[in-house]
Amino acid sequence: MIALSLGLAMPVLAEGPAEPWPQTQSDLKADPAVQFGTLENGMRYAIMRNTTPPKQAAIRFRIGSGSLDENEDQRGLAHFLEHMAFKGSTNVGEDEMVRILQRKGLAFGPDTNAHTSYGETVYSLDLPQVDADTISTGLKLMRETASELTLNAAAFDRERGVILAEERLRDTPQYRATVKAMNSLMEGQRVTERMPIGKTDVIRNAPVDLLRNYYKNNYRPERTTLIVVGDIDPATLEKEIRERFSDWKTDTPAPAAPDLGSLKPKGETFDVIAVPGTTTSVQIAWTIPFEDTPDTAAKRRKQVVEGLGLQVLQRRLSNMAAKADAPFIGANAGSQDLLKSVHFTAVSAESEPDKWQAALSAIDQEQRRIQEFGVSEAELQREIVAYRSMLQADAAGAATRSTTGLASMLAGSVDSDQVFTSPADDLALFDTIVGEVTAAEINTVLRQTFSGNGPQVLLQAAQAPEGGADAVRQAYTASRAVAVSELAGADDVVWPYTSFGEPGAVVERRTVDDLGLTMVRFANGVRLTVKPTKLRANEVLVRQLIGGGRMEMPHDRALPIWASPGIILSGTKALDFQDIQKVLASKIASIDFSVGDNTVMFDGRTRTEDLATQLQLMTAYTSDAAYRPEVFKRIQQAYLSGLDQYGATAGGVLGRDFAGLVHSKDPRWTFPDREQLSAATPDGVEALFRPLISKGPIEIIIVGDVTVDDAIRLTADTFGALPERAKVDAKADQQAVRFPDPTEKPVIATHSGREDTAAIAVGAPIGDLLSDIPRAFIANISTQIFENRLIDQFRIAEGATYGLQGSADLSRDLPGYGFGYFYLETTPAKVSGFYQLFEKVAADLGANPVSDDELARAREPAIETLRNQQQANDYWVRHLRNAQTDPRQLEFIRYSMEGYGKVTADEVRAFAKEYFAPQKFWKFEVLPAGIR
């Protein structure tokens, strides 16, 4: 209110000069699908019609101001202001913005969010409907944010605790190490003194007038860009934008741009960052000042040439990491413009704590090898082919890009001052560049890339080595004394998995017309479900489920399930993983492996023309997997090296232990300790996974831009040609899995981090998903209402937590198993108060019906989230599992269309009374070791 009265009393000043759109200063053409404009007050806007998914839209409201614009006594207030944008304005009551959006179907977090960085603050709304009222509501709330925030002092004081809770949540060992590394690299520049989270003493003590001053000075139309993408009429939307935002004026002169400092000149330097609980890594870096020039074709050419050369180095390092006795766990090479302050080039590696010297030597020598001898023409062409394939896929799918993705990409282009070009133009420019680039030019650029301030050699570890930075210097000097030689040429690789035998015969085929499904069974027992869609042009998803997940595994000992990434990284018997990547560089084919409760799964994402290759790849892993010991050892080392990180924060311990505890400490879900990790062997991993993958019943799900006949034919050529597989056999003697019994006193674990952090999880059993489908929808709504009440009281009213989340996790695979749970991080002093509040909310929810408004604010976001999910291929791949053998899977899909709409207030009350009674909850706490 004070800011508003001052605005009326003072003369309106002229706005500062508007930032021009990057394309006005470039030879690059902006995507013609986007309508760009600038209001007279300087506010820019970009509007793009996009119908994927239909009848949805996304708004991004970007203020070109962040922590770099703070004065010393305002450090943290740019981010604080982002929070206060949800705390009331001239025409919207305190905390009412979130409720308004919930009634429109937006979930707080997934659909309604914001972030603050060094140079920007971005407010995001993902609108589930594009009716005039919803669009107008979104624009109105952004207009309120622009200049109408009331910034009430009492609300400001209440939110301090939330900000401090966020600071505690983000203050992990890895975060602290990253900040120190960045500060070392960017010494002399303002960014080292303006972390967005700010200073805790400012957050605790700053008067509200400092926040109001920051708001008045920095939220200005000429610093603002409004982006709207979706199934909208651009002309109508532009008219409303002009009507709503043209009257936005400021009553203060534009502040002077902050002095960003100058990069401190450095030669060869050595440093150690010791942070208990972090992993061990080494880095060699070079920095040069940021090139603040327009985005042009010439500038992009320079970036592509440098990127191709560094990608060759990255490939070499990845090949080294995959070998037996590799000197590091993993390594990376690359460059980037960092925070518009430096151009940063680095080669880094993660290692075991006692092997950092070998890792440092390896990355030094590989960097010098490529600097001295360059890349080969064959290496360059491989990277060109891989990059072109990605750009071709982007261009082919351009018409069905997602609305939310496009909105965020547009906002990102504004932040980086880049022209928002079309995928077709990106491909054409790339082809022009690589049509004339040579290995000799790449090598010249690489020699320039490894120059400037540096080499800056950095060791990050939990403990500093004896001798500190001097030990790092000695290790580097010793490595530099080793001469390097030219890399030997690699042999050509041929894809051997084009035939798996006689194509399989179809013995059963039927359709499910209402869901657009075709179901097939081959003679060898393999089942295929196909759902053609046009949801994303040229995209096809493939999921392969092999019967026998955790429930088929022993339950009397620790299991190396954690080693499952090694299945993919081991490659096949004919080709290791690096050769697979090499031979398939011109294809878009991916593969992931995961372990579920009742199946193990391979997942792939491809384009229509590469579906044959995708299926060949997955069939090769199924029939010819290699369990390479060196790959297992690499994964084992990575887990052992990162183990201390889990224990260093309350959230880390919660994430590590939760799955095992809610399965009553069943070893199939329990995270291993150091002794168990160390005791695991490659033979044990192979013995666990090979029988499941090579013999279990196979179900294939194909969803996307494909015809039914093509999907059947290509599956017949691959999976259908395999030897007969086992039939689906639900074992009656499977070891039952149960949720833990209620606890009068919480189960307690400890962490080794800050003494002002604690974590809580509470849960209660409900039952599985499919045995009572309507209950599943009631459970989700009831849990959301419970969560909303806890947030209203524990976060908003008390400021006692930053992130509080709840969920109903009901199993599709484990009969009778499922639970509702809530978790949060807070301070130890607030733990007992949370339990009191929790029991009060649980009792009230079970005793009294919820209001129509409260029900709607939980139900509408759930309905719209589901509707949005069903417009993506991922939803159908996820929900069609076991559809041929368990008709309840399809019943669930059909019921989901109306399930949330059927939930009533009386059903919520009855559900809470039966399942969420206070005495039925299991409780888990993570406290600082010193406090316990």
Side-chain angles (χ1 to χ4, degrees), residues 488-502:
D491 296 333
D492 289 336
V493 183
V494 177
W495 181 241
Y497 297 107
T498 56
S499 176
F500 297 88
E502 190 70 21

Side-chain angles (χ1 to χ4, degrees), residues 44 117 130 137 145 178 196 210 226 250 294 305 324 539 632 761 824:
R44 296 184 296 177
S117 185
V130 290
T137 297
T145 300
T178 299
L210 285 178
L226 174 64
T250 56
V305 171
E539 177 186 79
F632 163 78
L824 70 151

Side-chain angles (χ1 to χ4, degrees), residues 397-432:
T400 50
R401 290 174 290 176
S402 76
T403 284
T404 55
L406 283 167
S408 295
M409 288 169 59
L410 269 163
S413 71
V414 174
D415 182 49
S416 58
D417 296 323
Q418 287 188 316
V419 180
F420 187 79
T421 47
S422 71
D425 285 348
D426 291 342
L427 175 60
L429 178 61
F430 179 78
D431 281 339
T432 299

Side-chain angles (χ1 to χ4, degrees), residues 361 364-365 368 471-483:
S361 296
D364 161 58
Q365 290 165 31
R368 286 191 288 120
V472 179
R473 180 188 60 77
Q474 292 178 25
Y476 184 70
T477 301
S479 176
R480 298 282 291 185
V482 177

Side-chain angles (χ1 to χ4, degrees), residues 443-460:
N443 297 334
T444 299
V445 170
L446 278 176
R447 283 189 287 273
Q448 298 167 353
T449 297
F450 300 112
S451 63
N453 294 319
Q456 300 177 52
V457 186
L458 179 69
L459 167 66
Q460 173 189 302

Side-chain angles (χ1 to χ4, degrees), residues 67-68 72 75 118 179 181-195 258-266 287-292 336-344 453 456:
S67 59
L68 287 174
E72 182 64 26
R75 289 177 62 176
Y118 293 87
V179 170
M182 187 182 76
N183 289 350
S184 174
L185 287 167
M186 303 175 73
E187 187 176 359
Q189 297 199 300
R190 187 177 177 88
V191 295
T192 63
E193 302 172 350
R194 289 296 184 274
M195 293 300 295
D259 181 3
L260 299 182
S262 299
L263 189 63
K264 181 179 179 180
K266 289 184 178 182
T287 58
I288 58 175
F290 171 68
E291 183 183 341
D292 190 11
Q336 67 178 114
D337 289 328
L338 197 58
L339 302 174
K340 299 182 181 179
S341 297
V342 299
H343 183 72
F344 164 72
N453 294 319
Q456 300 177 52

Side-chain angles (χ1 to χ4, degrees), residues 152-213:
N152 176 269
F156 179 63
D157 287 338
R158 284 193 295 273
E159 195 67 12
R160 294 182 198 269
V162 177
I163 306 289
L164 291 168
E166 184 176 356
E167 184 273 334
R168 293 192 302 269
L169 183 68
R170 301 193 186 285
D171 188 28
T172 65
Q174 197 62 44
Y175 172 82
R176 292 194 290 273
T178 299
V179 170
K180 290 182 178 181
M182 187 182 76
N183 289 350
S184 174
L185 287 167
M186 303 175 73
E187 187 176 359
Q189 297 199 300
R190 187 177 177 88
V191 295
T192 63
E193 302 172 350
R194 289 296 184 274
M195 293 300 295
I197 195 63
K199 297 176 69 174
T200 55
D201 61 333
V202 172
I203 296 168
R204 287 191 179 96
N205 302 310
V208 72
D209 283 345
L210 285 178
L211 184 77
R212 293 168 177 161
N213 289 340

Side-chain angles (χ1 to χ4, degrees), residues 86 88-89 91-107 112 125 127-128 133-134 136-138 140-141 144 853 856-857 860-861:
F86 298 89
S89 60
N91 299 296
V92 179
E94 183 180 344
D95 299 320
E96 187 60 22
M97 179 189 283
V98 171
R99 294 187 175 97
I100 290 171
L101 293 169
Q102 286 174 333
R103 295 177 193 120
K104 292 292 183 183
L106 283 77
T112 308
L125 298 178
L127 305 177
D133 185 62
T134 300
S136 291
T137 297
K140 169 189 172 181
L141 294 177
E144 292 288 300
D853 181 65
R857 289 191 293 107
E860 295 309 312

